[in-house]
Amino acid sequence: MKRSRPQRNRVILGLIALMLISVNAWADNSHATCNNATFAGTYVYAYYGSSGTGSALTRFAVAGLAVFNGDGTSHGVWTTATEEQPVAHRVTFQGTYHVNSDCSATEIDTDQNGNVFHYDDFSGSDAREIGFIRTDPGVVSSGTEFRRQKVPRG
């Protein structure tokens, strides 16, 4: 269907307006000032990935709950299913994190067995969702955490 010139102009102006609104929304978050308290709350998550090198990759899946205390410390519990291994049920962990003013963060978790896990985290200024990627060598995994309860700031 061929559109008339005025219709095309309205469509083009509408698309330009939509792009400007999108850029403006992104720009609003680019001025966000986040800190450790931004992540305060209880989050649930699930993700999968692989570990190993070359063709010797082992797949795994994880689901858990993390509590960010708002002061740079965290704790939680997860269950991990790894190929050809028994499921690790309700493994607890303690962690530390640092949130930068741009709402990116680094996180280090240590489980009850002494295993250490490193992550880079990313969120908007409201931190309702946190995207994360594990940064340990030989591991490929990422996911999203969703806040279920906000911890009151004190």
Side-chain angles (χ1 to χ4, degrees):
M1 179 169 135
K2 196 168 187 180
R3 295 180 191 254
S4 69
R5 182 174 290 254
Q7 285 177 321
R8 273 187 301 217
N9 289 344
R10 280 194 294 265
V11 169
I12 291 170
L13 287 174
L15 289 172
I16 291 171
L18 184 60
M19 287 183 346
L20 289 174
I21 290 169
S22 298
V23 168
N24 193 30
W26 176 82
D28 286 345
N29 192 50
S30 69
H31 299 296
T33 302
C34 292
N35 57 43
N36 288 344
T38 305
F39 280 23
T42 301
Y43 291 79
V44 295
Y45 59 89
Y47 66 97
Y48 63 93
S50 61
S51 61
T53 58
S55 62
L57 293 178
T58 302
R59 295 178 296 185
F60 62 87
V62 181
L65 178 135
V67 177
F68 291 88
N69 296 314
D71 62 359
T73 64
S74 62
H75 64 279
V77 60
W78 61 52
T79 293
T80 303
T82 303
E83 269 184 318
E84 300 180 19
Q85 295 181 19
V87 172
H89 294 278
R90 293 175 292 287
V91 176
T92 60
F93 70 90
Q94 301 290 319
T96 59
Y97 64 95
H98 175 76
V99 180
N100 301 305
S101 63
D102 67 356
C103 304
S104 65
T106 55
E107 177 182 351
I108 302 172
D109 297 331
T110 304
D111 72 14
Q112 67 193 36
N113 302 312
N115 299 308
V116 179
F117 306 86
H118 299 85
Y119 301 90
D120 283 347
D121 300 337
F122 305 91
S123 81
S125 60
D126 62 3
R128 288 181 297 187
E129 298 178 11
I130 301 172
F132 61 89
I133 185 164
R134 190 155 158 210
T135 59
D136 296 304
V139 178
V140 177
S141 66
S142 65
T144 305
E145 299 180 75
F146 300 93
R147 184 165 48 211
R148 294 298 179 227
Q149 180 180 356
K150 193 167 186 175
V151 173
R153 296 182 199 169

